[in-house]
Amino acid sequence: MDQKPFKESFKVFARVRPFLPRELMTGCSFPIVECQEETGSLKVFEFVASELTSEAQIRKLLENPKYYQVHNFAFDGVLKEGQTQEQTFELTARGLVDSFLKGFNCSLFAYGQTGTGKTFTIEGTDSSPGLILQVLKDALNRLEELKKTNDARLTLSYAQIYNEVISDLFGKGTNLNIRKGKSGPYVEDLTEIDLSDPAEAIEALKRGASRRISAVTLQNAMSSRSHAVFTLTLEQSTKTTTCVSRLFIVDLAGSERITMAGVKGVRLEECKRINSSLSELSNVILSLGKRKEETGFVPFRNS
Ligand code: ADP
Ligand code: MG
């Protein structure tokens, strides 16, 4: 029982992905990021040259510090390219499962530019399952232990937010409403799958993932255009009390610089909605992170 949940209530990790085959083919594949695992920091090289044309040119610039600047970014941990999905789970999500099973609400967000590996990290592929499946398996394994002392029920829902409209990825519902309930806000009429049958839950997850809206942009051939919110709910009851906890895993739509992504028309409107919802999310997190007496207003409803 002495495995500690996260000591702090907010942690940030950075994951660096390997170059993709299409990036290697274009030749723009010189690493300008260095992961320093001991300190959990990233070193990013920024070159003064307006255009970097070849690896040879970059190596030449690196010989003289006057041609580049080094920026350091500190995190709670970094995962360099080549780190596995399992290592990612161990570092980032396992502590959350501990807290969740102890009755705390927790959230995990994947944030970053389109094409940086958010969906890969959260959903993964058949051969490299991402955080959702690993969290699900870990929680189900440990639920058996919990059931020896408490009555425990685990359910799962999966929703998508596309252009500010919420739809159910497990059911047919669309344009769903957010309501405020006894144990916090919830999405009305969202399908909740009972996890007494793990195999069925895993099938449902696959069906849900394939229903997410994606579209082609220059930065990512199959970029996800929606935010996906996966929610595990645990209800634990003893003879006298009931405790409900939730674990949210959110695969955010990618932020994009509109000029770089080469988008027009419907895609441009999507892009604006995505960027504005991401900036509202950061405003909410900033307000929640302030001490109580400083928090005037949390802009939950702006997006
Ligand atoms: P995002 O969701 O951030 O837009 P994706 O998860 O779709 O990005 O990743 C873009 C591409 O990079 C995909 O082809 C994905 O398979 C690949 N990719 C991302 N992260 C990794 C990784 N850690 N290892 C190998 N391939 C990765
Ligand atoms: Mg994605």
Side-chain angles (χ1 to χ4, degrees):
M1 209 50 206
D2 226 68
Q3 200 180 20
K4 290 204 178 75
F6 281 167
K7 277 199 231 94
E8 289 144 39
S9 51
F10 199 92
K11 289 212 169 196
V12 183
F13 301 93
R15 186 178 193 188
V16 176
R17 70 153 168 77
F19 284 112
L20 302 175
R22 68 179 150 84
E23 292 165 337
L24 292 171
M25 267 161 49
T26 59
C28 52
S29 54
F30 188 83
I32 53 151
V33 174
E34 249 178 51
C35 286
Q36 305 190 309
E37 285 169 301
E38 324 73 58
T39 52
S41 57
L42 283 183
K43 223 176 188 183
V44 180
F45 293 85
E46 184 188 8
F47 295 92
V48 288
S50 59
E51 213 174 320
L52 301 174
T53 49
S54 68
E55 191 175 322
Q57 182 211 3
I58 296 172
R59 286 196 191 284
K60 188 103 196 105
L61 293 176
L62 275 172
E63 283 169 15
N64 189 340
K66 117 173 166 220
Y67 293 123
Y68 65 88
Q69 283 183 347
V70 182
H71 305 281
N72 284 299
F73 298 94
F75 298 91
D76 291 294
V78 291
L79 288 144
K80 63 178 179 196
E81 56 175 276
Q83 303 281 88
T84 62
Q85 299 280 63
E86 290 74 23
Q87 287 166 319
T88 308
F89 168 75
E90 288 298 331
L91 185 68
T92 62
R94 187 190 280 285
L96 289 187
V97 180
D98 293 338
S99 301
F100 167 63
L101 295 180
K102 287 183 178 157
F104 293 96
N105 289 334
C106 318
S107 305
L108 184 150
F109 295 95
Y111 171 82
Q113 193 184 325
T114 297
T116 47
K118 298 179 296 297
T119 303
F120 182 85
T121 299
I122 299 290
E123 287 175 6
T125 58
D126 284 345
S127 55
S128 301
L131 291 178
I132 289 183
L133 209 59
Q134 296 186 76
V135 162
L136 200 58
K137 286 189 174 155
D138 193 36
L140 282 169
N141 282 340
R142 291 157 65 186
L143 192 66
E144 291 310 308
E145 196 54 39
L146 267 184
K147 279 185 173 166
K148 288 183 189 157
T149 49
N150 291 354
D151 231 5
R153 183 168 166 257
L154 194 60
T155 57
L156 173 68
S157 70
Y158 202 14
Q160 118 175 319
I161 309 171
Y162 173 68
N163 276 351
E164 305 277 295
V165 172
I166 306 177
S167 342
D168 189 350
L169 288 175
F170 282 160
K172 296 205 164 50
T174 185
N175 222 341
L176 304 178
N177 290 314
I178 299 177
R179 303 257 180 244
K180 205 166 171 195
K182 272 192 305 217
S183 51
Y186 70 98
V187 178
E188 195 175 45
D189 298 330
L190 194 60
T191 309
E192 296 242 1
I193 295 185
D194 197 313
L195 286 183
S196 40
D197 182 355
E200 206 235 277
I202 288 165
E203 263 318 297
L205 267 180
K206 283 192 186 153
R207 282 198 307 276
S210 68
R211 290 178 55 193
R212 281 190 69 189
I213 292 176
S214 45
V216 177
T217 68
L218 293 181
Q219 294 198 358
N220 185 1
M222 274 295 285
S223 90
S224 313
R225 315 298 299 155
S226 61
H227 308 296
V229 184
F230 158 95
T231 312
L232 265 177
T233 305
L234 175 65
E235 205 176 305
Q236 302 183 68
S237 322
T238 60
K239 280 197 186 96
T240 49
T241 56
T242 299
C243 169
V244 178
S245 54
R246 294 211 173 83
L247 171 55
F248 299 92
I249 300 185
V250 187
D251 179 14
L252 292 167
S255 56
E256 252 161 37
R257 267 206 271 163
I258 286 172
T259 45
M260 269 178 73
V263 287
K264 298 188 198 92
V266 181
R267 297 279 96 89
L268 177 64
E269 282 313 305
E270 273 175 358
C271 215
K272 288 190 201 156
R273 296 272 187 136
I274 292 169
N275 288 346
S276 87
S277 63
L278 291 172
S279 98
E280 288 306 339
L281 175 67
S282 75
N283 291 337
V284 165
I285 292 176
L286 275 174
S287 307
L288 288 174
K290 284 184 186 156
R291 270 181 303 172
K292 227 180 188 145
E293 57 274 21
E294 294 171 15
T295 317
F297 168 70
V298 183
F300 285 120
R301 288 178 181 270
N302 281 4
S303 169

